Amino acid sequence: MGIVAGLDSSSDSTRIVVCDADTGAVLRQGYAPHPSSFPEGDPQAWLISLGEAATGGLLEGVQAIGVSAQQHGLLTLDAGGVLIRPALLGNDKRMQPSAADLTDALGGRAAWAEAVGAVPQAAQALAKLRWMARNEPEHAARVAAVLQPHDWLVWQLLGRPARRTTDRGDASGTGFWSAATESWRPDLVELALGRQAVLPDVLAPAEPAGHTPEGLLISAGTGETMAAAFGLGVGPGDAVVSLGASGSVFAVHHSALADSTGTITSFADATGMHLPVVHTLNAVRVLRGTAELLGTDLPGLSELALTSSPGSYGLVLLPYLEGERTPHLPHTAGTLSGLRRESMKPEHLARAAFEGMLCGLTDALDVLRGRGVEVRRVFLLGAAAELPAVQAIAPALFGAQVVVPQPADYAALGAARQAAWSLGVQQGVLSPQQPPLWPAPAGEVFDPVGEDTAVGQAVRQQYATVREQTHPGAFPAA
């Protein structure tokens, strides 16, 4: 088909991969940092970073570009298409009261879950609009249109045409797009902002956003989570566990999931499927805290943990160090249970930290399984996925094959794959229903073997018993 590029504009940098459209082979790569801009961002700096990442003829011969970008940012435009203020970014905590106000305004968590598949959160564009209306009324009064970062970048690449676009994946994170009906909810924009605003057209997965003045095809683009899932090649039966300071678990599913408790956030993906997501507040921060307590680092903690045995001699760590979102325990703290003379050893605490973190993530997986989401294979992402203790313990606790893909710019790869799809449809060699079949990423595969599954179930039962004794009824899904 030709050569395509994937551009990922994250919170801290721009990464570009240039790929063969037929095979997915990476031909060239580019990178440029963004200036520090928390909690607000200068979109012009994203464009400058894009230009720097593409220097040296990186895009020579490219026929199509896909764009991935940080999710949940809000860019507000006036009637002339001019930015009203710097972008509000996804990790801005100032919007938490606004999210709580909006939750009550529609009748509670269940009403929002039914309306859009998600309870209002500070990260969402919805909450940012409410915050602007309450805190910057002079700016709010000028808002004529709203975009997210990927929408804005696509619009810029196309030469700022009259039509502005987005895709269903990024739209599903705004708080005013219904995953069930696949349509905008302008009434919720009005609820947040106090009046209507123009929303971008939502493109189908393989539908192009347009062509640059030079004739380069620009595909629909999407948010980083959706692009990374597409780059990994996950499909039905797959789940992805992301190990950051906090954690997230998402899986590919055929339909949107409305969850009255708000535990599940119902995202759409970049292919026409859905990505139900469950978040935890505590993942690698649990390992780092335990490592500091024991005077070691993460590799040292891993080595120590592997000298213990499953169940950590009865030591159980409930890893709720920052409160917890799954289960909903926002004001709690972590709990260390099972202290006996024989269990009070560094190696047992080290293993309890790994088991506690992974049991917490397995609880999140079980929320999805409890709603009919099939999980046969789990992709583990993040630097901590490389730790031997994680790789040794996770398959038994997850009860599934674990894949640790080699580090790569998966969001940029997903954007490139989308560009190849759109290009192939334009050329008449691909169907709008079937993306290009690029090879699966290289990585290590870990299967539960022998008695691993039974041992994992015993460890989980020990953990669940302590969790229920400490926080009775907090996790009815367990």
Side-chain angles (χ1 to χ4, degrees):
M1 288 186 291
I3 300 175
V4 297
L7 151 69
D8 177 42
S9 180
S10 70
S11 58
D12 60 5
S13 64
T14 298
R15 297 178 185 273
I16 300 175
V17 296
V18 176
C19 301
D20 181 281
D22 293 297
T23 67
V26 176
L27 307 176
R28 301 186 291 272
Q29 300 184 67
Y31 166 83
H34 291 173
S36 178
S37 59
F38 176 81
E40 299 182 356
D42 176 9
Q44 295 298 330
W46 307 340
L47 286 178
I48 293 170
S49 173
L50 191 165
E52 292 174 348
T55 56
L58 186 80
L59 299 180
E60 185 176 345
V62 165
Q63 296 169 263
I65 294 178
V67 176
S68 159
Q70 57 180 307
Q71 290 169 238
H72 302 309
L74 175 69
L75 293 92
T76 49
L77 308 180
D78 67 14
V82 177
L83 280 170
I84 294 170
R85 65 175 327 283
L88 294 168
L89 303 182
N91 52 1
D92 194 333
K93 304 299 184 187
R94 292 176 294 176
M95 289 74 192
Q96 288 176 340
S98 299
D101 289 345
L102 286 164
T103 302
D104 295 336
L106 198 67
R109 298 168 69 86
W112 278 99
E114 183 67 28
V116 294
V119 174
Q121 301 161 19
Q124 291 175 324
L126 178 87
K128 291 173 171 59
L129 287 174
R130 170 59 71 99
W131 181 88
M132 280 186 65
R134 295 291 172 83
N135 294 276
E136 299 179 351
E138 70 287 356
H139 287 155
R142 295 174 54 203
V143 174
V146 297
L147 297 173
Q148 293 192 98
H150 122 253
D151 312 335
W152 189 83
L153 286 167
V154 166
W155 186 51
Q156 296 296 317
L157 290 172
L158 292 175
R160 299 165 60 94
R163 184 195 191 205
R164 302 184 186 100
T165 62
T166 189
D167 88 303
R168 58 196 293 280
D170 222 3
S172 67
T174 60
F176 42 83
W177 186 85
S178 169
T181 64
E182 303 227 356
S183 60
W184 290 117
R185 289 288 303 265
D187 57 314
L188 300 182
V189 174
E190 186 168 357
L191 178 67
L193 185 61
R195 57 192 183 79
Q196 295 289 341
V198 176
L199 302 174
D201 292 344
V202 181
L203 301 175
E207 186 179 356
H211 293 78
T212 68
E214 298 77 26
L216 193 65
L217 184 148
I218 306 295
S219 65
T222 194
E224 274 191 315
T225 298
M226 300 79 191
F230 199 33
L232 281 166
V234 296
D238 292 330
V240 177
V241 174
S242 180
L243 299 176
S246 55
S248 67
V249 177
F250 68 80
V252 179
H253 197 51
H254 57 81
S255 63
L257 295 178
D259 172 34
S260 61
T261 69
T263 302
I264 298 173
T265 298
S266 195
F267 286 149
D269 81 344
T271 72
M273 299 285 281
H274 292 265
L275 292 178
V277 182
V278 180
H279 294 276
T280 70
L281 293 181
N282 300 278
V284 179
R285 62 166 41 98
V286 178
L287 304 183
R288 293 198 183 281
T290 307
E292 289 172 10
L293 180 65
L294 295 176
T296 186
D297 55 12
L298 292 187
L301 189 74
S302 174
E303 185 177 351
L304 200 57
L306 291 176
T307 65
S308 181
S309 56
S312 310
Y313 267 64
L315 211 55
V316 175
L317 176 63
L318 299 183
Y320 308 148
L321 305 187
E322 296 289 325
E324 191 45 81
R325 185 168 167 182
T326 307
H328 186 63
L329 297 167
H331 306 299
T332 194
T335 301
L336 184 62
S337 177
L339 283 171
R340 295 182 177 85
R341 183 65 190 90
E342 61 272 19
S343 65
M344 295 176 68
K345 294 182 179 180
E347 61 267 27
H348 303 322
L349 177 57
R351 188 173 185 105
F354 281 95
E355 290 181 343
M357 177 191 76
L358 291 169
C359 280
L361 291 163
T362 310
D363 280 347
L365 264 177
D366 281 353
V367 170
L368 297 177
R369 284 169 163 147
R371 293 297 306 277
V373 178
E374 185 180 14
V375 178
R376 298 189 306 270
R377 183 171 61 164
V378 176
F379 287 77
L380 267 181
L381 303 183
E386 302 288 339
L387 295 172
V390 169
Q391 297 173 355
I393 297 170
L397 294 183
F398 291 160
Q401 182 184 85
V402 169
V403 180
V404 180
Q406 288 183 354
D409 296 328
Y410 288 109
L413 285 168
R417 189 180 179 201
Q418 185 195 66
W421 191 6
S422 191
L423 180 65
V425 171
Q426 177 181 271
Q427 294 175 345
V429 297
L430 288 178
S431 161
Q433 285 72 47
Q434 180 60 56
L437 299 175
W438 287 7
E444 294 185 88
V445 177
F446 303 90
D447 287 295
V449 295
E451 298 180 354
D452 282 359
T453 301
V455 170
Q457 289 175 343
V459 172
R460 288 213 64 213
Q461 184 57 53
Q462 175 180 268
Y463 176 89
T465 299
V466 173
R467 186 193 61 226
E468 286 303 304
Q469 288 173 346
T470 310
H471 305 288
F475 207 166

